[in-house]
PDB file of all heavy atoms in Angstrom:
ATOM      1  N   TYR A 482      85.648  77.051 110.269  1.00  0.00           N
ATOM      2  CA  TYR A 482      84.313  76.571 110.659  1.00  0.00           C
ATOM      3  C   TYR A 482      83.298  76.827 109.540  1.00  0.00           C
ATOM      4  O   TYR A 482      82.542  75.933 109.146  1.00  0.00           O
ATOM      5  CB  TYR A 482      83.898  77.289 111.945  1.00  0.00           C
ATOM      6  CG  TYR A 482      82.511  76.985 112.436  1.00  0.00           C
ATOM      7  CD1 TYR A 482      82.212  75.753 113.010  1.00  0.00           C
ATOM      8  CD2 TYR A 482      81.500  77.939 112.350  1.00  0.00           C
ATOM      9  CE1 TYR A 482      80.933  75.483 113.479  1.00  0.00           C
ATOM     10  CE2 TYR A 482      80.219  77.677 112.815  1.00  0.00           C
ATOM     11  CZ  TYR A 482      79.941  76.441 113.371  1.00  0.00           C
ATOM     12  OH  TYR A 482      78.685  76.177 113.841  1.00  0.00           O
ATOM     13  N   ALA A 483      83.313  78.059 109.004  1.00  0.00           N
ATOM     14  CA  ALA A 483      82.330  78.432 107.977  1.00  0.00           C
ATOM     15  C   ALA A 483      82.505  77.629 106.689  1.00  0.00           C
ATOM     16  O   ALA A 483      81.578  77.513 105.895  1.00  0.00           O
ATOM     17  CB  ALA A 483      82.430  79.927 107.678  1.00  0.00           C
ATOM     18  N   LEU A 484      83.690  77.091 106.490  1.00  0.00           N
ATOM     19  CA  LEU A 484      83.948  76.298 105.277  1.00  0.00           C
ATOM     20  C   LEU A 484      83.806  74.807 105.521  1.00  0.00           C
ATOM     21  O   LEU A 484      83.885  74.008 104.598  1.00  0.00           O
ATOM     22  CB  LEU A 484      85.365  76.574 104.755  1.00  0.00           C
ATOM     23  CG  LEU A 484      85.626  77.955 104.145  1.00  0.00           C
ATOM     24  CD1 LEU A 484      87.106  78.075 103.768  1.00  0.00           C
ATOM     25  CD2 LEU A 484      84.763  78.195 102.924  1.00  0.00           C
ATOM     26  N   SER A 485      83.602  74.424 106.785  1.00  0.00           N
ATOM     27  CA  SER A 485      83.661  72.991 107.087  1.00  0.00           C
ATOM     28  C   SER A 485      82.359  72.288 106.714  1.00  0.00           C
ATOM     29  O   SER A 485      81.297  72.903 106.618  1.00  0.00           O
ATOM     30  CB  SER A 485      83.984  72.779 108.576  1.00  0.00           C
ATOM     31  OG  SER A 485      82.943  73.267 109.373  1.00  0.00           O
ATOM     32  N   ALA A 486      82.473  70.992 106.497  1.00  0.00           N
ATOM     33  CA  ALA A 486      81.328  70.181 106.080  1.00  0.00           C
ATOM     34  C   ALA A 486      80.177  70.370 107.053  1.00  0.00           C
ATOM     35  O   ALA A 486      80.352  70.359 108.265  1.00  0.00           O
ATOM     36  CB  ALA A 486      81.733  68.712 106.033  1.00  0.00           C
ATOM     37  N   GLY A 487      78.992  70.586 106.516  1.00  0.00           N
ATOM     38  CA  GLY A 487      77.820  70.766 107.369  1.00  0.00           C
ATOM     39  C   GLY A 487      77.485  72.228 107.601  1.00  0.00           C
ATOM     40  O   GLY A 487      76.356  72.569 107.905  1.00  0.00           O
ATOM     41  N   TYR A 488      78.491  73.094 107.458  1.00  0.00           N
ATOM     42  CA  TYR A 488      78.243  74.515 107.701  1.00  0.00           C
ATOM     43  C   TYR A 488      78.458  75.367 106.447  1.00  0.00           C
ATOM     44  O   TYR A 488      78.083  76.527 106.406  1.00  0.00           O
ATOM     45  CB  TYR A 488      79.132  75.026 108.838  1.00  0.00           C
ATOM     46  CG  TYR A 488      78.850  74.320 110.136  1.00  0.00           C
ATOM     47  CD1 TYR A 488      79.715  73.360 110.631  1.00  0.00           C
ATOM     48  CD2 TYR A 488      77.683  74.613 110.846  1.00  0.00           C
ATOM     49  CE1 TYR A 488      79.429  72.689 111.810  1.00  0.00           C
ATOM     50  CE2 TYR A 488      77.392  73.948 112.020  1.00  0.00           C
ATOM     51  CZ  TYR A 488      78.270  72.980 112.501  1.00  0.00           C
ATOM     52  OH  TYR A 488      77.990  72.338 113.658  1.00  0.00           O
ATOM     53  N   TYR A 489      79.102  74.768 105.467  1.00  0.00           N
ATOM     54  CA  TYR A 489      79.455  75.465 104.238  1.00  0.00           C
ATOM     55  C   TYR A 489      78.244  76.163 103.607  1.00  0.00           C
ATOM     56  O   TYR A 489      78.299  77.347 103.271  1.00  0.00           O
ATOM     57  CB  TYR A 489      80.076  74.456 103.268  1.00  0.00           C
ATOM     58  CG  TYR A 489      80.450  75.004 101.924  1.00  0.00           C
ATOM     59  CD1 TYR A 489      81.714  75.562 101.722  1.00  0.00           C
ATOM     60  CD2 TYR A 489      79.573  74.933 100.840  1.00  0.00           C
ATOM     61  CE1 TYR A 489      82.082  76.047 100.475  1.00  0.00           C
ATOM     62  CE2 TYR A 489      79.926  75.423  99.595  1.00  0.00           C
ATOM     63  CZ  TYR A 489      81.186  75.977  99.419  1.00  0.00           C
ATOM     64  OH  TYR A 489      81.534  76.458  98.190  1.00  0.00           O
ATOM     65  N   GLU A 490      77.134  75.434 103.458  1.00  0.00           N
ATOM     66  CA  GLU A 490      75.942  76.013 102.824  1.00  0.00           C
ATOM     67  C   GLU A 490      75.330  77.122 103.678  1.00  0.00           C
ATOM     68  O   GLU A 490      74.848  78.110 103.158  1.00  0.00           O
ATOM     69  CB  GLU A 490      74.867  74.940 102.569  1.00  0.00           C
ATOM     70  CG  GLU A 490      75.165  74.017 101.399  1.00  0.00           C
ATOM     71  CD  GLU A 490      76.138  72.917 101.770  1.00  0.00           C
ATOM     72  OE1 GLU A 490      76.429  72.746 102.983  1.00  0.00           O
ATOM     73  OE2 GLU A 490      76.626  72.221 100.857  1.00  0.00           O
ATOM     74  N   GLN A 491      75.347  76.876 105.007  1.00  0.00           N
ATOM     75  CA  GLN A 491      74.714  77.836 105.909  1.00  0.00           C
ATOM     76  C   GLN A 491      75.454  79.166 105.992  1.00  0.00           C
ATOM     77  O   GLN A 491      74.835  80.200 106.190  1.00  0.00           O
ATOM     78  CB  GLN A 491      74.636  77.251 107.318  1.00  0.00           C
ATOM     79  CG  GLN A 491      73.508  76.283 107.501  1.00  0.00           C
ATOM     80  CD  GLN A 491      73.697  75.480 108.787  1.00  0.00           C
ATOM     81  OE1 GLN A 491      74.391  75.903 109.688  1.00  0.00           O
ATOM     82  NE2 GLN A 491      73.078  74.329 108.852  1.00  0.00           N
ATOM     83  N   TYR A 492      76.764  79.074 105.901  1.00  0.00           N
ATOM     84  CA  TYR A 492      77.537  80.302 106.065  1.00  0.00           C
ATOM     85  C   TYR A 492      78.141  80.776 104.741  1.00  0.00           C
ATOM     86  O   TYR A 492      77.701  81.773 104.165  1.00  0.00           O
ATOM     87  CB  TYR A 492      78.640  80.108 107.112  1.00  0.00           C
ATOM     88  CG  TYR A 492      78.095  79.897 108.499  1.00  0.00           C
ATOM     89  CD1 TYR A 492      78.065  78.635 109.071  1.00  0.00           C
ATOM     90  CD2 TYR A 492      77.602  80.977 109.237  1.00  0.00           C
ATOM     91  CE1 TYR A 492      77.555  78.449 110.354  1.00  0.00           C
ATOM     92  CE2 TYR A 492      77.095  80.800 110.521  1.00  0.00           C
ATOM     93  CZ  TYR A 492      77.076  79.524 111.067  1.00  0.00           C
ATOM     94  OH  TYR A 492      76.575  79.352 112.325  1.00  0.00           O
ATOM     95  N   TYR A 493      79.142  80.056 104.259  1.00  0.00           N
ATOM     96  CA  TYR A 493      79.905  80.558 103.116  1.00  0.00           C
ATOM     97  C   TYR A 493      79.046  80.729 101.864  1.00  0.00           C
ATOM     98  O   TYR A 493      78.983  81.806 101.279  1.00  0.00           O
ATOM     99  CB  TYR A 493      81.099  79.640 102.850  1.00  0.00           C
ATOM    100  CG  TYR A 493      81.997  80.132 101.735  1.00  0.00           C
ATOM    101  CD1 TYR A 493      82.696  81.336 101.875  1.00  0.00           C
ATOM    102  CD2 TYR A 493      82.145  79.413 100.559  1.00  0.00           C
ATOM    103  CE1 TYR A 493      83.517  81.798 100.859  1.00  0.00           C
ATOM    104  CE2 TYR A 493      82.959  79.866  99.543  1.00  0.00           C
ATOM    105  CZ  TYR A 493      83.652  81.067  99.696  1.00  0.00           C
ATOM    106  OH  TYR A 493      84.457  81.522  98.686  1.00  0.00           O
ATOM    107  N   LEU A 494      78.357  79.663 101.489  1.00  0.00           N
ATOM    108  CA  LEU A 494      77.555  79.724 100.266  1.00  0.00           C
ATOM    109  C   LEU A 494      76.433  80.767 100.381  1.00  0.00           C
ATOM    110  O   LEU A 494      76.170  81.528  99.443  1.00  0.00           O
ATOM    111  CB  LEU A 494      76.975  78.339  99.971  1.00  0.00           C
ATOM    112  CG  LEU A 494      76.524  78.134  98.535  1.00  0.00           C
ATOM    113  CD1 LEU A 494      77.712  78.211  97.582  1.00  0.00           C
ATOM    114  CD2 LEU A 494      75.839  76.774  98.373  1.00  0.00           C
ATOM    115  N   LYS A 495      75.817  80.795 101.528  1.00  0.00           N
ATOM    116  CA  LYS A 495      74.749  81.765 101.770  1.00  0.00           C
ATOM    117  C   LYS A 495      75.308  83.194 101.658  1.00  0.00           C
ATOM    118  O   LYS A 495      74.689  84.078 101.057  1.00  0.00           O
ATOM    119  CB  LYS A 495      74.163  81.520 103.167  1.00  0.00           C
ATOM    120  CG  LYS A 495      73.018  82.420 103.543  1.00  0.00           C
ATOM    121  CD  LYS A 495      71.695  81.861 103.091  1.00  0.00           C
ATOM    122  CE  LYS A 495      70.560  82.794 103.477  1.00  0.00           C
ATOM    123  NZ  LYS A 495      69.259  82.290 103.040  1.00  0.00           N
ATOM    124  N   ALA A 496      76.485  83.408 102.223  1.00  0.00           N
ATOM    125  CA  ALA A 496      77.115  84.742 102.170  1.00  0.00           C
ATOM    126  C   ALA A 496      77.400  85.148 100.722  1.00  0.00           C
ATOM    127  O   ALA A 496      77.241  86.310 100.342  1.00  0.00           O
ATOM    128  CB  ALA A 496      78.392  84.748 102.998  1.00  0.00           C
ATOM    129  N   LEU A 497      77.803  84.177  99.905  1.00  0.00           N
ATOM    130  CA  LEU A 497      78.084  84.485  98.497  1.00  0.00           C
ATOM    131  C   LEU A 497      76.819  84.869  97.746  1.00  0.00           C
ATOM    132  O   LEU A 497      76.846  85.665  96.805  1.00  0.00           O
ATOM    133  CB  LEU A 497      78.752  83.292  97.804  1.00  0.00           C
ATOM    134  CG  LEU A 497      80.145  82.902  98.291  1.00  0.00           C
ATOM    135  CD1 LEU A 497      80.646  81.692  97.513  1.00  0.00           C
ATOM    136  CD2 LEU A 497      81.133  84.047  98.142  1.00  0.00           C
TER     137      LEU A 497
END
Side-chain angles (χ1 to χ4, degrees):
Chain A
Y482 176 73
L484 290 176
S485 65
Y488 298 105
Y489 178 89
E490 285 80 11
Q491 281 166 22
Y492 293 103
Y493 184 64
L494 199 64
K495 182 88 180 179
L497 294 179

